[in-house]
Amino acid sequence: MTPRIQLEILVILATTVFVLFAAWNTFSAQLSVCVTVSVCCQFLTLTLKTYLDNQQPHIRQLFRSKADLGYLCSMLVPLTVVADLVFIARQNVFIDMNYAYSMLGCAFLVSSMAALAVITNRDPSKRLPSTCSLWTMPVFITASAISSSVMLVMAGTMATVMALVLSVLVFLVIFHLPNHLPRTFTLGELSCSIQLLAVLLWKPVHVYTSTDIINFKIYSIDSLHTIIFAALLVIIIMYVLLPATVRGERPWVFYVVFTCVSAVFVIPASYLVLRKDIVTWMFTSIFKHPKRVSLLLYWLVCSVVAAVLSLYQGSSAKGDTITRKSFHLVIVAVYIPGLMVDAEFLHLASVCAGAFLLLLEAVRVHSIPPLGQVIDSSFKMFVDDKDEGPVILTHIYLLVGLSLPLWISSIRPVNGALLPMYSGVISLGVGDTAASVGGVLLGQHKWPESNKSLEGTALCAISQALVMACLTLSGGVSSPLGLSLVLPVILSSLYEAFTLQVDNLVLPLLTYSLLCVS
C-alpha cells in the first residue's frame, strides 16, 4: 500500500469518525449501533481489499488506467446519508423515524451490495487471497447487510422488500457494467455513482409507497428529478438493447423510443405528482415569480460567457489548466446567486440541465443524426485525461457534484440555502480551482507519489475558508463561524490532494458530510 493511499485512507477514516460521533450525539442508541456496525464493517472490508489489491491486469483493463481502483470512495454515499439526517435533526425539523430507518437501511444495504460487487471483482486466474482474508471480507459484508436489514425491518415490510430488490440491481450493475463501458470509471467511482442514483431514486419512491405520513414536506421537484432521470435511463437502455443493425440502419428509432417513453411514462407520472401537465407547471413555476425571471436572464448571460470561453479554448491546440478551471468560476457565478435567492429554482434548473447533458451524451455516443457527429467533435475539444472510455463524463460529474447537496438534502430553506448546500460550490468551484491554478503558478513542493503540490493544497484550504467567511458575514448563510469549520476545510483540501478519483464526484460528498455534522 503506497503512502498516498495510506493518507487517503486516513482522511476517510477521520471523516467517518467525525460523522459517527455526530450520529451518536443525535440518534437513538439503537439506531446509532446499527449505523456504527454498518459503517465499521464496510470500512474494514474496503480497507482490507485495498491492502490486498495487487493491481491485477485482468481487472485493471476494465477501469481507468491513471488511477487506483478507489475502493474506499464507496463509503462516501452512506456517510452522506447519515450526515444529512444528523443535519435535519439539528435544524429541529421533525421527521418520522420510519423515514430515517428507511433511508439509512436502504443506503447501507445498497452500499453493502456495492462492496460485495467490489470485492468479488477479481481475476479468476490469479491465486486467491489467504484463507483469513477470503473469509474476513464476506463476514464483514454480511454483518453490515444484517445491520442494514434491521433498520429496514423497523421501517416496514414494503421498504425492506423494495430495498432488497434495489440492492440486487446495484450489485448486478456494478459487477457487469465495466464490461460494456471499459475504462470509463474506476471501481470506486462506479460504485459511488450507482449508489447515488439508488439513494436519489429511493427517497420519493419510499414516500409514495409508505403507509405512514412523514411530517415534513417532500417537494415536487424531488419526485420530478426521479421521474426525469428514470425516464432517461429507460430510453438509453431500451435503445442499447435494440439490435445493432436496427441502430445502424434506422437511427431515427432513438427519437421514436424517446417520444414513446415520454408519452407513456413521463407525462402521466409528472401529472400525478404535480397535478398538472409538466409544461404548464414549469412555465408557471418560472414566470409567476419575478426573482426567477431575473435569475434566468442572469444565467443566460453566464451561458454566453461560457460559450465565449469554449470558443477560446477550442481555438487553441489544447486547453491548459487555467483555461479549463475558468469554467469552474463561471459555475460559481451561476450557483451562488441561485443558492442565495432561490435554491428550489436552482434545484429544478440543475435537474433539467443534468437530463439535457445525459441526453446529449447518449446522442453523441451512438452518433445519432443530425447532431451526433457535431456534438462528438465539439466535446472532444474538452476531453479530460480522466475520460478514457467511450463515454465522456467529466462535465456531467461537474454539474452533478455542484448540484448533489441540493438533490440529497431532505430539507429546503425558505430564505436562502444553508451552508452544507454550498458544498459543491465551495469544494469544486472554489477549492479545486484554487488548488489547480495555485499549483500551476506556485507549486514547488509535491505530495508523495502525486503531482499535487503543498502550495496548491494550502490555497485550496485558505480559499474555502475565505468563501465560507464571506457567505456568513454577508448574510448568505446563517451558519456561525468557528473552529468547527476548520476540520471540514482541512480534510476536504487533503482529500483533493490525495485522491486520484474524479474529484467532481467525490469531493462534494465528503465536504457535504463534514459541513452537515460540523
Side-chain angles (χ1 to χ4, degrees), residues 115-176:
L116 182 61
V118 166
I119 67 174
T120 51
N121 263 289
R122 55 173 295 276
D123 185 352
S125 66
K126 297 291 182 180
R127 182 174 62 85
L128 287 170
S130 65
T131 303
C132 177
S133 302
L134 186 63
W135 286 101
T136 301
M137 288 189 289
V139 166
F140 285 152
I141 291 297
T142 302
S144 177
I146 291 174
S147 178
S148 306
S149 300
V150 169
M151 289 185 274
L152 284 168
V153 168
M154 293 178 182
T157 305
M158 180 63 73
T160 305
V161 173
M162 291 174 60
L164 285 171
V165 172
L166 188 60
S167 60
V168 171
L169 291 175
V170 166
F171 174 84
L172 294 174
V173 171
I174 294 175
F175 197 81
H176 293 290

Short mmCIF file of all heavy atoms in Angstrom, two decimals, residues 115-176:
data_model
loop_
_atom_site.label_atom_id
_atom_site.label_comp_id
_atom_site.label_asym_id
_atom_site.label_seq_id
_atom_site.Cartn_x
_atom_site.Cartn_y
_atom_site.Cartn_z
N ALA A 115 -20.24 -3.00 -2.03
CA ALA A 115 -18.95 -3.51 -1.52
C ALA A 115 -18.75 -4.97 -1.90
O ALA A 115 -17.64 -5.40 -2.23
CB ALA A 115 -18.89 -3.35 0.00
N LEU A 116 -19.84 -5.75 -1.87
CA LEU A 116 -19.75 -7.15 -2.29
C LEU A 116 -19.36 -7.25 -3.76
O LEU A 116 -18.52 -8.08 -4.13
CB LEU A 116 -21.10 -7.85 -2.05
CG LEU A 116 -21.15 -9.34 -2.40
CD1 LEU A 116 -20.16 -10.13 -1.55
CD2 LEU A 116 -22.57 -9.87 -2.22
N ALA A 117 -19.93 -6.38 -4.59
CA ALA A 117 -19.56 -6.37 -6.01
C ALA A 117 -18.10 -5.97 -6.19
O ALA A 117 -17.39 -6.50 -7.05
CB ALA A 117 -20.47 -5.41 -6.79
N VAL A 118 -17.64 -5.06 -5.34
CA VAL A 118 -16.25 -4.61 -5.41
C VAL A 118 -15.28 -5.74 -5.07
O VAL A 118 -14.30 -5.98 -5.78
CB VAL A 118 -16.03 -3.39 -4.48
CG1 VAL A 118 -14.55 -3.14 -4.26
CG2 VAL A 118 -16.69 -2.15 -5.05
N ILE A 119 -15.54 -6.44 -3.97
CA ILE A 119 -14.57 -7.46 -3.53
C ILE A 119 -14.63 -8.72 -4.38
O ILE A 119 -13.69 -9.52 -4.37
CB ILE A 119 -14.77 -7.83 -2.04
CG1 ILE A 119 -16.10 -8.54 -1.83
CG2 ILE A 119 -14.65 -6.60 -1.17
CD1 ILE A 119 -16.28 -9.05 -0.40
N THR A 120 -15.73 -8.93 -5.12
CA THR A 120 -15.81 -10.11 -5.98
C THR A 120 -15.29 -9.84 -7.39
O THR A 120 -15.22 -10.77 -8.20
CB THR A 120 -17.26 -10.62 -6.08
OG1 THR A 120 -18.13 -9.53 -6.43
CG2 THR A 120 -17.71 -11.22 -4.77
N ASN A 121 -14.92 -8.61 -7.70
CA ASN A 121 -14.28 -8.31 -8.98
C ASN A 121 -12.81 -8.68 -8.89
O ASN A 121 -12.00 -7.93 -8.35
CB ASN A 121 -14.41 -6.81 -9.31
CG ASN A 121 -15.56 -6.53 -10.24
OD1 ASN A 121 -15.51 -6.87 -11.42
ND2 ASN A 121 -16.60 -5.93 -9.70
N ARG A 122 -12.46 -9.85 -9.39
CA ARG A 122 -11.08 -10.31 -9.32
C ARG A 122 -10.77 -11.18 -10.54
O ARG A 122 -11.67 -11.66 -11.23
CB ARG A 122 -10.82 -11.11 -8.04
CG ARG A 122 -11.76 -12.28 -7.84
CD ARG A 122 -11.36 -13.14 -6.67
NE ARG A 122 -10.09 -13.78 -6.89
CZ ARG A 122 -9.95 -14.93 -7.56
NH1 ARG A 122 -10.99 -15.55 -8.07
NH2 ARG A 122 -8.76 -15.45 -7.72
N ASP A 123 -9.50 -11.38 -10.77
CA ASP A 123 -9.05 -12.22 -11.87
C ASP A 123 -9.08 -13.69 -11.43
O ASP A 123 -8.34 -14.08 -10.53
CB ASP A 123 -7.63 -11.81 -12.27
CG ASP A 123 -7.14 -12.57 -13.50
OD1 ASP A 123 -7.84 -13.51 -13.93
OD2 ASP A 123 -6.06 -12.22 -14.00
N PRO A 124 -9.94 -14.53 -12.03
CA PRO A 124 -10.05 -15.92 -11.59
C PRO A 124 -8.78 -16.73 -11.84
O PRO A 124 -8.59 -17.79 -11.24
CB PRO A 124 -11.22 -16.47 -12.42
CG PRO A 124 -11.32 -15.55 -13.59
CD PRO A 124 -10.88 -14.22 -13.11
N SER A 125 -7.88 -16.25 -12.70
CA SER A 125 -6.65 -16.99 -12.98
C SER A 125 -5.59 -16.77 -11.90
O SER A 125 -4.60 -17.48 -11.84
CB SER A 125 -6.07 -16.57 -14.33
OG SER A 125 -5.64 -15.23 -14.30
N LYS A 126 -5.81 -15.78 -11.04
CA LYS A 126 -4.83 -15.46 -10.00
C LYS A 126 -5.11 -16.26 -8.73
O LYS A 126 -6.23 -16.70 -8.48
CB LYS A 126 -4.87 -13.96 -9.67
CG LYS A 126 -4.49 -13.06 -10.84
CD LYS A 126 -3.02 -13.20 -11.17
CE LYS A 126 -2.63 -12.26 -12.31
NZ LYS A 126 -1.22 -12.37 -12.66
N ARG A 127 -4.08 -16.41 -7.93
CA ARG A 127 -4.23 -17.13 -6.67
C ARG A 127 -5.15 -16.35 -5.72
O ARG A 127 -5.08 -15.13 -5.63
CB ARG A 127 -2.85 -17.29 -6.02
CG ARG A 127 -2.86 -18.07 -4.71
CD ARG A 127 -1.44 -18.29 -4.23
NE ARG A 127 -0.77 -17.02 -3.97
CZ ARG A 127 -0.88 -16.36 -2.81
NH1 ARG A 127 -1.64 -16.84 -1.85
NH2 ARG A 127 -0.22 -15.24 -2.64
N LEU A 128 -6.00 -17.08 -5.04
CA LEU A 128 -6.91 -16.45 -4.08
C LEU A 128 -6.12 -15.86 -2.92
O LEU A 128 -5.02 -16.31 -2.60
CB LEU A 128 -7.90 -17.47 -3.54
CG LEU A 128 -9.02 -17.92 -4.49
CD1 LEU A 128 -9.75 -19.11 -3.89
CD2 LEU A 128 -9.97 -16.78 -4.76
N PRO A 129 -6.68 -14.85 -2.24
CA PRO A 129 -6.03 -14.35 -1.02
C PRO A 129 -5.99 -15.45 0.04
O PRO A 129 -6.55 -16.53 -0.12
CB PRO A 129 -6.96 -13.20 -0.59
CG PRO A 129 -7.73 -12.83 -1.80
CD PRO A 129 -7.87 -14.09 -2.60
N SER A 130 -5.33 -15.14 1.12
CA SER A 130 -5.23 -16.12 2.21
C SER A 130 -6.61 -16.49 2.73
O SER A 130 -7.58 -15.74 2.56
CB SER A 130 -4.39 -15.54 3.35
OG SER A 130 -5.06 -14.43 3.92
N THR A 131 -6.69 -17.63 3.40
CA THR A 131 -7.98 -18.10 3.92
C THR A 131 -8.59 -17.08 4.88
O THR A 131 -9.79 -16.81 4.85
CB THR A 131 -7.79 -19.44 4.66
OG1 THR A 131 -7.21 -20.37 3.76
CG2 THR A 131 -9.13 -19.97 5.16
N CYS A 132 -7.75 -16.47 5.71
CA CYS A 132 -8.24 -15.46 6.65
C CYS A 132 -8.88 -14.29 5.90
O CYS A 132 -10.00 -13.86 6.21
CB CYS A 132 -7.09 -14.96 7.52
SG CYS A 132 -7.55 -13.65 8.66
N SER A 133 -8.19 -13.78 4.89
CA SER A 133 -8.71 -12.65 4.12
C SER A 133 -9.95 -13.06 3.34
O SER A 133 -10.90 -12.28 3.20
CB SER A 133 -7.63 -12.14 3.15
OG SER A 133 -6.47 -11.77 3.86
N LEU A 134 -9.94 -14.28 2.82
CA LEU A 134 -11.06 -14.76 2.00
C LEU A 134 -12.35 -14.81 2.80
O LEU A 134 -13.42 -14.51 2.29
CB LEU A 134 -10.72 -16.14 1.44
CG LEU A 134 -11.71 -16.74 0.43
CD1 LEU A 134 -11.76 -15.88 -0.81
CD2 LEU A 134 -11.28 -18.16 0.08
N TRP A 135 -12.23 -15.17 4.09
CA TRP A 135 -13.43 -15.28 4.92
C TRP A 135 -13.76 -13.99 5.65
O TRP A 135 -14.92 -13.72 5.96
CB TRP A 135 -13.26 -16.42 5.94
CG TRP A 135 -13.38 -17.78 5.32
CD1 TRP A 135 -12.37 -18.63 4.98
CD2 TRP A 135 -14.59 -18.42 4.95
NE1 TRP A 135 -12.87 -19.77 4.41
CE2 TRP A 135 -14.25 -19.68 4.38
CE3 TRP A 135 -15.94 -18.07 5.03
CZ2 TRP A 135 -15.19 -20.56 3.91
CZ3 TRP A 135 -16.88 -18.97 4.55
CH2 TRP A 135 -16.51 -20.19 4.00
N THR A 136 -12.76 -13.18 5.93
CA THR A 136 -12.99 -11.97 6.73
C THR A 136 -13.88 -10.98 6.00
O THR A 136 -14.83 -10.44 6.58
CB THR A 136 -11.65 -11.30 7.08
OG1 THR A 136 -10.84 -12.22 7.81
CG2 THR A 136 -11.88 -10.06 7.92
N MET A 137 -13.60 -10.70 4.72
CA MET A 137 -14.37 -9.70 3.99
C MET A 137 -15.85 -10.06 3.86
O MET A 137 -16.72 -9.23 4.15
CB MET A 137 -13.72 -9.44 2.63
CG MET A 137 -12.40 -8.67 2.72
SD MET A 137 -11.75 -8.14 1.14
CE MET A 137 -11.22 -9.70 0.44
N PRO A 138 -16.20 -11.31 3.44
CA PRO A 138 -17.63 -11.65 3.41
C PRO A 138 -18.30 -11.59 4.77
O PRO A 138 -19.48 -11.22 4.86
CB PRO A 138 -17.62 -13.09 2.87
CG PRO A 138 -16.37 -13.20 2.09
CD PRO A 138 -15.38 -12.35 2.82
N VAL A 139 -17.57 -11.91 5.85
CA VAL A 139 -18.15 -11.81 7.19
C VAL A 139 -18.49 -10.36 7.51
O VAL A 139 -19.57 -10.05 8.04
CB VAL A 139 -17.18 -12.40 8.24
CG1 VAL A 139 -17.61 -12.02 9.66
CG2 VAL A 139 -17.12 -13.92 8.12
N PHE A 140 -17.58 -9.44 7.20
CA PHE A 140 -17.83 -8.02 7.43
C PHE A 140 -19.04 -7.55 6.61
O PHE A 140 -19.90 -6.82 7.12
CB PHE A 140 -16.60 -7.19 7.06
CG PHE A 140 -15.49 -7.27 8.07
CD1 PHE A 140 -14.16 -7.10 7.68
CD2 PHE A 140 -15.75 -7.51 9.40
CE1 PHE A 140 -13.14 -7.17 8.61
CE2 PHE A 140 -14.73 -7.59 10.34
CZ PHE A 140 -13.42 -7.41 9.94
N ILE A 141 -19.09 -7.94 5.34
CA ILE A 141 -20.20 -7.53 4.49
C ILE A 141 -21.52 -8.09 5.01
O ILE A 141 -22.55 -7.40 5.02
CB ILE A 141 -19.96 -7.99 3.03
CG1 ILE A 141 -18.80 -7.22 2.42
CG2 ILE A 141 -21.21 -7.80 2.18
CD1 ILE A 141 -19.03 -5.74 2.30
N THR A 142 -21.50 -9.35 5.44
CA THR A 142 -22.72 -9.96 5.99
C THR A 142 -23.19 -9.21 7.23
O THR A 142 -24.39 -8.94 7.40
CB THR A 142 -22.46 -11.44 6.33
OG1 THR A 142 -22.02 -12.13 5.16
CG2 THR A 142 -23.73 -12.09 6.85
N ALA A 143 -22.26 -8.87 8.12
CA ALA A 143 -22.63 -8.12 9.32
C ALA A 143 -23.23 -6.76 8.97
O ALA A 143 -24.22 -6.32 9.57
CB ALA A 143 -21.39 -7.94 10.21
N SER A 144 -22.64 -6.08 7.97
CA SER A 144 -23.17 -4.79 7.53
C SER A 144 -24.56 -4.95 6.93
O SER A 144 -25.47 -4.15 7.20
CB SER A 144 -22.22 -4.16 6.50
OG SER A 144 -22.74 -2.95 6.02
N ALA A 145 -24.76 -5.99 6.12
CA ALA A 145 -26.07 -6.21 5.50
C ALA A 145 -27.13 -6.54 6.55
O ALA A 145 -28.28 -6.08 6.45
CB ALA A 145 -25.96 -7.34 4.48
N ILE A 146 -26.75 -7.34 7.56
CA ILE A 146 -27.71 -7.67 8.63
C ILE A 146 -28.11 -6.42 9.40
O ILE A 146 -29.29 -6.19 9.70
CB ILE A 146 -27.10 -8.73 9.57
CG1 ILE A 146 -26.97 -10.07 8.84
CG2 ILE A 146 -27.97 -8.88 10.82
CD1 ILE A 146 -26.24 -11.13 9.65
N SER A 147 -27.11 -5.59 9.72
CA SER A 147 -27.40 -4.35 10.43
C SER A 147 -28.31 -3.44 9.61
O SER A 147 -29.25 -2.83 10.13
CB SER A 147 -26.09 -3.63 10.75
OG SER A 147 -26.32 -2.41 11.40
N SER A 148 -28.07 -3.38 8.30
CA SER A 148 -28.91 -2.58 7.41
C SER A 148 -30.33 -3.14 7.37
O SER A 148 -31.31 -2.39 7.37
CB SER A 148 -28.33 -2.56 6.00
OG SER A 148 -26.98 -2.15 6.00
N SER A 149 -30.44 -4.46 7.32
CA SER A 149 -31.75 -5.10 7.26
C SER A 149 -32.55 -4.84 8.53
O SER A 149 -33.78 -4.69 8.49
CB SER A 149 -31.59 -6.62 7.05
OG SER A 149 -30.91 -6.88 5.83
N VAL A 150 -31.87 -4.77 9.68
CA VAL A 150 -32.55 -4.46 10.94
C VAL A 150 -33.20 -3.09 10.84
O VAL A 150 -34.36 -2.89 11.25
CB VAL A 150 -31.56 -4.51 12.11
CG1 VAL A 150 -32.18 -3.93 13.38
CG2 VAL A 150 -31.11 -5.94 12.36
N MET A 151 -32.47 -2.10 10.29
CA MET A 151 -33.04 -0.76 10.13
C MET A 151 -34.22 -0.78 9.17
O MET A 151 -35.23 -0.10 9.39
CB MET A 151 -31.95 0.20 9.63
CG MET A 151 -30.90 0.54 10.68
SD MET A 151 -29.72 1.79 10.13
CE MET A 151 -28.53 0.78 9.26
N LEU A 152 -34.14 -1.57 8.11
CA LEU A 152 -35.23 -1.63 7.14
C LEU A 152 -36.47 -2.30 7.73
O LEU A 152 -37.60 -1.88 7.47
CB LEU A 152 -34.77 -2.39 5.89
CG LEU A 152 -33.86 -1.60 4.95
CD1 LEU A 152 -33.24 -2.52 3.91
CD2 LEU A 152 -34.64 -0.48 4.26
N VAL A 153 -36.26 -3.35 8.52
CA VAL A 153 -37.40 -4.01 9.16
C VAL A 153 -38.14 -3.05 10.07
O VAL A 153 -39.38 -3.05 10.14
CB VAL A 153 -36.91 -5.25 9.95
CG1 VAL A 153 -38.01 -5.79 10.85
CG2 VAL A 153 -36.44 -6.34 8.99
N MET A 154 -37.40 -2.18 10.74
CA MET A 154 -38.04 -1.16 11.59
C MET A 154 -38.85 -0.17 10.75
O MET A 154 -39.81 0.42 11.23
CB MET A 154 -36.98 -0.41 12.39
CG MET A 154 -36.28 -1.26 13.43
SD MET A 154 -35.00 -0.34 14.30
CE MET A 154 -34.33 -1.60 15.38
N ALA A 155 -38.44 0.01 9.49
CA ALA A 155 -39.16 0.94 8.60
C ALA A 155 -40.41 0.31 8.01
O ALA A 155 -41.30 1.03 7.55
CB ALA A 155 -38.24 1.42 7.49
N GLY A 156 -40.50 -1.03 7.95
CA GLY A 156 -41.69 -1.67 7.40
C GLY A 156 -41.35 -2.71 6.36
O GLY A 156 -40.25 -2.73 5.78
N THR A 157 -42.31 -3.58 6.10
CA THR A 157 -42.11 -4.69 5.16
C THR A 157 -41.89 -4.21 3.74
O THR A 157 -41.01 -4.69 3.03
CB THR A 157 -43.32 -5.64 5.20
OG1 THR A 157 -43.54 -6.05 6.55
CG2 THR A 157 -43.08 -6.86 4.32
N MET A 158 -42.71 -3.25 3.30
CA MET A 158 -42.59 -2.75 1.94
C MET A 158 -41.21 -2.15 1.68
O MET A 158 -40.59 -2.39 0.65
CB MET A 158 -43.68 -1.71 1.67
CG MET A 158 -43.65 -1.13 0.26
SD MET A 158 -43.96 -2.35 -1.03
CE MET A 158 -45.72 -2.60 -0.79
N ALA A 159 -40.73 -1.36 2.64
CA ALA A 159 -39.40 -0.75 2.50
C ALA A 159 -38.32 -1.82 2.40
O ALA A 159 -37.38 -1.71 1.61
CB ALA A 159 -39.12 0.18 3.68
N THR A 160 -38.46 -2.88 3.20
CA THR A 160 -37.47 -3.96 3.19
C THR A 160 -37.42 -4.66 1.84
O THR A 160 -36.34 -4.87 1.26
CB THR A 160 -37.80 -4.99 4.28
OG1 THR A 160 -37.88 -4.32 5.55
CG2 THR A 160 -36.72 -6.06 4.35
N VAL A 161 -38.58 -4.99 1.29
CA VAL A 161 -38.64 -5.70 0.01
C VAL A 161 -38.08 -4.83 -1.11
O VAL A 161 -37.26 -5.28 -1.93
CB VAL A 161 -40.09 -6.12 -0.30
CG1 VAL A 161 -40.19 -6.69 -1.71
CG2 VAL A 161 -40.58 -7.14 0.72
N MET A 162 -38.50 -3.57 -1.14
CA MET A 162 -38.04 -2.68 -2.21
C MET A 162 -36.53 -2.44 -2.13
O MET A 162 -35.84 -2.41 -3.15
CB MET A 162 -38.78 -1.35 -2.13
CG MET A 162 -40.26 -1.45 -2.49
SD MET A 162 -41.11 0.10 -2.20
CE MET A 162 -40.20 1.19 -3.27
N ALA A 163 -36.00 -2.29 -0.92
CA ALA A 163 -34.56 -2.07 -0.76
C ALA A 163 -33.77 -3.30 -1.18
O ALA A 163 -32.68 -3.18 -1.75
CB ALA A 163 -34.24 -1.69 0.68
N LEU A 164 -34.29 -4.49 -0.88
CA LEU A 164 -33.61 -5.72 -1.30
C LEU A 164 -33.53 -5.80 -2.82
O LEU A 164 -32.49 -6.14 -3.39
CB LEU A 164 -34.34 -6.94 -0.74
CG LEU A 164 -34.14 -7.22 0.76
CD1 LEU A 164 -35.10 -8.31 1.23
CD2 LEU A 164 -32.70 -7.61 1.04
N VAL A 165 -34.63 -5.50 -3.49
CA VAL A 165 -34.64 -5.52 -4.96
C VAL A 165 -33.65 -4.50 -5.51
O VAL A 165 -32.86 -4.79 -6.43
CB VAL A 165 -36.06 -5.23 -5.49
CG1 VAL A 165 -36.05 -5.06 -7.00
CG2 VAL A 165 -37.02 -6.36 -5.09
N LEU A 166 -33.68 -3.29 -4.95
CA LEU A 166 -32.78 -2.23 -5.42
C LEU A 166 -31.32 -2.60 -5.20
O LEU A 166 -30.47 -2.37 -6.07
CB LEU A 166 -33.11 -0.94 -4.68
CG LEU A 166 -32.40 0.34 -5.15
CD1 LEU A 166 -32.72 0.63 -6.61
CD2 LEU A 166 -32.80 1.52 -4.27
N SER A 167 -31.01 -3.21 -4.06
CA SER A 167 -29.62 -3.57 -3.78
C SER A 167 -29.11 -4.67 -4.70
O SER A 167 -27.94 -4.66 -5.11
CB SER A 167 -29.48 -4.01 -2.32
OG SER A 167 -30.29 -5.14 -2.05
N VAL A 168 -29.97 -5.61 -5.06
CA VAL A 168 -29.58 -6.65 -6.02
C VAL A 168 -29.29 -6.03 -7.39
O VAL A 168 -28.31 -6.39 -8.07
CB VAL A 168 -30.67 -7.73 -6.13
CG1 VAL A 168 -30.37 -8.69 -7.29
CG2 VAL A 168 -30.78 -8.51 -4.83
N LEU A 169 -30.12 -5.08 -7.80
CA LEU A 169 -29.88 -4.39 -9.07
C LEU A 169 -28.56 -3.63 -9.03
O LEU A 169 -27.80 -3.62 -10.02
CB LEU A 169 -31.03 -3.42 -9.37
CG LEU A 169 -32.38 -4.06 -9.71
CD1 LEU A 169 -33.46 -2.98 -9.85
CD2 LEU A 169 -32.29 -4.87 -10.99
N VAL A 170 -28.26 -3.01 -7.91
CA VAL A 170 -26.99 -2.29 -7.76
C VAL A 170 -25.82 -3.25 -7.92
O VAL A 170 -24.83 -2.96 -8.61
CB VAL A 170 -26.94 -1.58 -6.39
CG1 VAL A 170 -25.52 -1.12 -6.06
CG2 VAL A 170 -27.88 -0.39 -6.38
N PHE A 171 -25.90 -4.40 -7.28
CA PHE A 171 -24.83 -5.40 -7.38
C PHE A 171 -24.62 -5.81 -8.84
O PHE A 171 -23.48 -5.86 -9.32
CB PHE A 171 -25.19 -6.63 -6.54
CG PHE A 171 -24.21 -7.77 -6.69
CD1 PHE A 171 -23.05 -7.81 -5.95
CD2 PHE A 171 -24.45 -8.79 -7.60
CE1 PHE A 171 -22.14 -8.84 -6.10
CE2 PHE A 171 -23.56 -9.83 -7.77
CZ PHE A 171 -22.40 -9.87 -7.02
N LEU A 172 -25.70 -6.09 -9.54
CA LEU A 172 -25.59 -6.57 -10.93
C LEU A 172 -24.99 -5.49 -11.84
O LEU A 172 -24.16 -5.79 -12.70
CB LEU A 172 -26.96 -7.00 -11.45
CG LEU A 172 -27.57 -8.23 -10.76
CD1 LEU A 172 -29.00 -8.46 -11.26
CD2 LEU A 172 -26.71 -9.46 -11.02
N VAL A 173 -25.41 -4.25 -11.63
CA VAL A 173 -24.90 -3.16 -12.47
C VAL A 173 -23.41 -2.95 -12.24
O VAL A 173 -22.62 -2.85 -13.19
CB VAL A 173 -25.68 -1.85 -12.20
CG1 VAL A 173 -25.01 -0.68 -12.91
CG2 VAL A 173 -27.12 -1.98 -12.67
N ILE A 174 -22.99 -2.90 -10.97
CA ILE A 174 -21.58 -2.67 -10.67
C ILE A 174 -20.72 -3.83 -11.17
O ILE A 174 -19.59 -3.65 -11.64
CB ILE A 174 -21.38 -2.47 -9.16
CG1 ILE A 174 -22.07 -1.17 -8.71
CG2 ILE A 174 -19.89 -2.42 -8.79
CD1 ILE A 174 -22.05 -0.94 -7.22
N PHE A 175 -21.25 -5.03 -11.10
CA PHE A 175 -20.48 -6.20 -11.49
C PHE A 175 -20.33 -6.31 -13.01
O PHE A 175 -19.28 -6.74 -13.51
CB PHE A 175 -21.16 -7.47 -10.95
CG PHE A 175 -20.26 -8.67 -10.94
CD1 PHE A 175 -19.34 -8.87 -9.92
CD2 PHE A 175 -20.30 -9.60 -11.96
CE1 PHE A 175 -18.50 -9.96 -9.90
CE2 PHE A 175 -19.46 -10.71 -11.96
CZ PHE A 175 -18.56 -10.89 -10.93
N HIS A 176 -21.36 -5.90 -13.77
CA HIS A 176 -21.35 -6.15 -15.22
C HIS A 176 -21.09 -4.91 -16.08
O HIS A 176 -20.62 -5.05 -17.21
CB HIS A 176 -22.68 -6.78 -15.65
CG HIS A 176 -22.91 -8.15 -15.10
ND1 HIS A 176 -22.19 -9.25 -15.53
CD2 HIS A 176 -23.76 -8.61 -14.15
CE1 HIS A 176 -22.60 -10.33 -14.88
NE2 HIS A 176 -23.54 -9.97 -14.03
#
